[in-house]
Amino acid sequence: MKKQQLIFFLGIFLLLISAPAFSQKKVLTDEEEVTERVTKEMDELFQSKDFLKQKDKKFKDVKGTMTIDIGVIQSGKVSTFFKVDSDISNPKFTNFLSDYILDHKFYFKLQKQQRYKVRYTITF
């Protein structure tokens, strides 16, 4: 009986120790891989229920295409937002989009002192 309890507690202990190792964010080093992940996560972000709900509530009539540069720093945070080109002329929507993207944190990290700028085009 004692042996089974010892094995059980040892198994639980190992499970608890290994869980944080699996949940750590992946560190990306290749610029193409960073661009791919940023594009994928931005696509998911703009199709999320939360974003669509906020956009429809405040800017239901906004339609068009916007090209932006997104700066990503080491921790996976968005550091910069720059509108490159847009056929959307509503500055309040641009500010809303800027704030929404700047609050986003990506599900990856970069190497120390590394930052990337990714050009992204979205159609609303």
Side-chain angles (χ1 to χ4, degrees), residues 44-86:
E44 291 172 358
L45 181 71
F46 292 133
Q47 293 172 1
S48 70
K49 288 181 181 179
D50 182 50
F51 175 77
L52 293 174
K53 183 178 176 181
Q54 287 186 34
K55 180 194 169 287
D56 289 343
K57 184 177 180 181
K58 298 177 183 179
F59 305 101
K60 194 171 193 159
D61 300 336
V62 172
K63 302 226 183 301
T65 302
M66 187 178 287
T67 301
I68 56 177
D69 283 341
I70 301 169
V72 184
I73 58 173
Q74 175 189 346
S75 62
K77 289 183 179 179
V78 176
S79 61
T80 59
F81 171 93
F82 180 74
K83 181 177 80 168
V84 177
D85 187 30
S86 177

